[in-house]
């Protein structure tokens, strides 16, 4: 679910390569919303028909596709019935924090679409394929930035002399992030009452243009650069390539977990090939390392300078978000390593590849340059 997206497309290529049968579902929501802010993927991507045919010509295999909205329970019912999946990866949600903060319409749309899509999936699995593994994309942003270490989902607590092992408190920073918290609660509950097997992935911010399967431009995945749909490091790279200032928000001391697209896809594929036990609810914190926004901006500036001899300016802009700019941050990420995950891509190496790929599409980024600077204010 969400096969046309930034992560969904390369994940489906990886799963094909690993020998899985892959069926995708998407309603092209992200394409539509990105067009509405006068932007477009910086890397050109074809129609789903063309993408499937290119994946097939490259020898990776055949993808079946259903166009449809996963928050429409009848449509989802049809797709689950036709495919009887052993695992469903649920990536198909409104995934922009700024979009969810634009106003009531967008906040409601995010709440309804995201939470309903997950509850639809839970019921379809319970009723039609009870042994199916749900692998659901949440976000590290569910935890917020507490002043204590962040465990993977659960922690031991002692309060007024009594002890328990409880879900770690969530403290999200946008309506979007709160929908992911609600999804997590709903999945945890579905697991408790119906024994549904769930992997709930608290994913960091993903960066990159390539995975091992993306060998030529016909197989590119989307790459968003605008302030609503683009994410931090990817946008910094696009800004450098377009000759625009790199714009950390506020002081830039905010720390977050990050991982490359290659590493994200590897982790998700690993989660599928090593599913949870029947009736298990497991939570992974999925990121390689955590960095401050300033560190990322400086690293992009350095790599860009080394490769082009040009200087990319760093310009701090007023923080449009309501968030702590100086804070403690120490999340754990041991469980995926225990499952066998090893990081493949280093930050500088990946930035260099992103800059190289984007430099071929500088004109596409510049065409939409007005959509890059932040405008969506949390306090508006
Ligand atoms: N990219 C990141 O840095 C990141 C970080 C943490 C978590 N995530 C999560 O990972 C998932 C995938 O992210 P992405 O970056 O690939 O986003 P994306 O927007 O590129 O992909 C999501 C795909 O789902 C589709 N979709 C959305 N709503 C749908 C619906 N109701 N019915 C059918 N299709 C629908 C979209 O059209 C899109 O193709 C999201 O759930 C996101 O919240 C992403």
């Amino acid at each position: 679910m969400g096969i046309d997206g930034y992560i969904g497309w390369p994940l489906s290529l990886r799963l094909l390569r690993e020998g899985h049968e892959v069926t995708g579902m998407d309603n092209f929501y992200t394409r539509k919303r990105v067009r509405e802010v006068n932007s477009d993927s910086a890397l050109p991507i074809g129609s789903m028909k063309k993408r499937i045919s290119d994946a097939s010509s490259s020898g990776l295999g055949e993808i079946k596709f259903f166009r449809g909205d996963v928050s429409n329970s009848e449509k989802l019912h049809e797709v689950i019935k036709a495919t009887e999946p052993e695992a469903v990866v649920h990536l198909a949600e409104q995934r922009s924090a700024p979009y969810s903060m634009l106003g009531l319409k967008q906040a409601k749309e995010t709440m309804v679409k995201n939470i309903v899509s997950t509850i639809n999936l839970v019921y379809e699995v319970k009723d039609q394929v009870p042994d199916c593994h749900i692998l659901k994309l949440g976000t590290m942003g569910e935890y917020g930035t507490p002043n204590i270490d962040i465990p993977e989902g659960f922690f031991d607590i002692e309060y007024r002399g009594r002890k328990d092992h409880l879900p770690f408190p969530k403290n999200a920073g946008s309506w979007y992030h709160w929908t992911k918290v609600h999804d997590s609660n709903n999945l945890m509950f579905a697991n408790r009452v119906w024994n549904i097997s769930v992997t709930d992935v608290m994913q960091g911010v993903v960066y990159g243009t390539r995975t091992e399967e993306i060998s030529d431009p016909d197989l590119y995945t989307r790459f968003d650069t605008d302030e609503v749909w683009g994410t931090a490091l990817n946008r910094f790279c696009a800004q450098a390539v377009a000759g625009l200032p790199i714009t950390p928000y506020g002081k830039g001391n905010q720390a977050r977990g990050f991982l490359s697209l290659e590493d994200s896809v590897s982790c998700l594929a690993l989660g599928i090939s090593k599913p949870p036990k029947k009736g298990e609810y497991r939570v992974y914190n999925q990121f390689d390392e955590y960095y401050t926004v300033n560190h990322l901006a400086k690293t992009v500036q350095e790599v860009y300078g080394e490769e082009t001899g040009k200087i990319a300016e760093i310009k701090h802009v007023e923080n449009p978000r309501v968030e702590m700019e100086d804070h403690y941050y120490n999340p754990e990420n041991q469980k995926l390593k225990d499952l066998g995950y090893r990081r493949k891509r280093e930050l500088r190496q990946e930035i260099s590849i992103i800059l190289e790929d984007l430099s071929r599409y500088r004109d596409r980024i510049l065409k939409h340059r007005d959509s890059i600077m932040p405008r969506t204010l949390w306090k508006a």
Side-chain angles (χ1 to χ4, degrees):
M1 291 159 51
I3 192 172
D4 191 47
Y6 177 55
I7 299 167
W9 180 247
L11 176 62
S12 63
L13 301 182
R14 171 66 47 87
L15 294 175
L16 279 181
R17 201 183 93 192
E18 291 187 353
H20 296 275
E21 258 179 69
V22 179
T23 299
M25 181 172 179
D26 208 294
N27 65 348
F28 307 118
Y29 174 89
T30 302
R31 290 189 191 228
K32 179 167 171 245
R33 289 283 178 259
V34 171
R35 272 198 303 273
E36 283 170 5
V37 295
N38 281 325
S39 190
D40 195 359
S41 167
L43 301 178
I45 52 170
S47 65
M48 183 48 70
K49 198 167 166 214
K50 173 148 189 333
R51 300 183 99 178
I52 290 174
S53 138
D54 289 338
S56 168
S57 324
S58 74
L60 284 165
E62 301 299 323
I63 294 172
K64 285 193 214 105
F65 177 70
F66 292 84
R67 181 175 184 160
D69 185 334
V70 297
S71 68
N72 173 340
S73 53
E74 277 137 41
K75 187 70 202 175
L76 186 62
H77 179 81
E78 229 178 81
V79 176
I80 299 288
K81 192 165 180 202
T83 52
E84 297 185 354
E86 287 167 74
V88 175
V89 187
H90 180 13
L91 304 128
E93 293 197 342
Q94 189 301 90
R95 56 94 179 140
S96 161
Y99 181 80
S100 73
M101 300 301 293
L102 279 169
L104 177 61
K105 176 176 167 288
Q106 293 85 354
K108 280 204 288 196
E109 180 184 309
T110 309
M111 285 286 156
V112 173
K113 290 246 177 218
N114 289 4
I115 298 169
V116 169
S117 72
T118 297
I119 203 78
N120 281 349
L121 177 61
V122 160
Y123 269 83
E124 287 312 320
V125 167
K126 167 179 112 44
D127 292 340
Q128 295 200 64
V129 277
D131 290 332
C132 173
H133 166 207
I134 297 179
L135 193 151
K136 162 74 174 43
L137 266 289
T139 154
M140 284 299 293
E142 292 183 37
Y143 297 117
T145 52
N147 200 29
I148 54 175
D149 292 356
I150 300 175
E152 299 192 70
F154 292 81
F155 76 145
D156 294 318
I157 175 128
E158 186 173 345
Y159 180 63
R160 294 185 177 165
R162 297 187 67 81
K163 292 180 184 167
D164 208 342
H165 187 67
L166 291 176
F168 189 74
K170 302 284 179 70
N171 199 359
S174 74
W175 296 126
Y176 152 75
H177 289 98
W178 278 111
T179 66
K180 296 288 188 181
V181 176
H182 303 320
D183 282 344
S184 288
N185 289 336
N186 291 347
L187 288 167
M188 212 177 350
F189 183 65
N191 161 267
R192 199 193 316 153
V193 288
W194 296 315
N195 258 353
I196 294 175
S197 310
V198 177
T199 304
D200 201 357
V201 178
M202 303 298 122
Q203 184 171 242
V205 185
V206 182
Y207 58 90
T209 46
R210 284 181 184 248
T211 57
E212 285 171 5
E213 293 75 23
I214 301 182
S215 46
D216 75 71
D218 281 341
L219 296 177
Y220 272 152
T221 190
R222 63 172 311 107
F223 188 98
D224 294 300
T225 59
D226 63 86
E227 58 110 19
V228 179
W229 297 94
T231 48
L233 180 52
N234 282 352
R235 290 182 67 240
F236 291 169
C237 291
Q239 287 172 322
V241 166
L244 302 169
I246 298 170
T247 52
Y249 293 167
K251 289 191 205 166
N253 292 333
Q254 307 89 314
R256 298 287 184 271
F258 282 78
L259 78 168
S260 70
L261 186 61
E262 167 61 38
D263 288 331
S264 167
V265 163
S266 298
C267 288
L268 297 175
L270 187 65
I272 292 173
S273 61
K274 296 191 175 172
K277 293 194 271 306
K278 171 71 189 150
E280 186 187 356
Y281 171 78
R282 62 181 184 184
V283 179
Y284 291 148
N285 291 350
Q286 180 170 303
F287 64 92
D288 282 332
E289 223 165 297
Y290 45 90
Y291 306 102
T292 65
V293 174
N294 280 339
H295 177 79
L296 296 174
K298 271 213 103 23
T299 310
V300 172
Q301 185 184 51
E302 280 167 18
V303 177
Y304 181 72
E306 282 158 22
E307 299 201 344
T308 63
K310 295 186 204 154
I311 296 172
E313 184 196 351
I314 295 179
K315 189 174 156 198
H316 288 256
V317 295
E318 193 186 335
N319 194 342
R321 303 181 175 213
V322 176
E323 62 184 2
M324 278 196 266
E325 292 184 2
D326 295 291
H327 58 86
Y328 179 78
Y329 200 60
N330 191 25
E332 284 170 15
N333 61 350
Q334 188 54 40
K335 286 197 196 165
L336 274 161
K337 293 177 192 161
D338 293 345
L339 208 65
Y341 165 67
R342 296 290 171 269
R343 177 181 187 174
K344 286 192 215 150
R345 300 279 176 93
E346 292 305 320
L347 182 66
R348 295 179 78 92
Q349 172 198 9
E350 196 65 28
I351 289 175
S352 163
I353 298 170
I354 303 174
L355 293 173
E356 185 192 327
D357 284 340
L358 291 183
S359 63
R360 276 181 239 123
Y361 300 99
R362 189 168 184 268
D363 291 349
R364 286 176 67 92
I365 302 169
L366 279 172
K367 192 170 160 203
H368 304 289
R369 59 180 294 162
D370 291 344
S371 65
I372 294 178
M373 289 298 278
R375 266 181 303 208
T376 308
L377 305 177
W378 263 223
K379 280 191 177 150

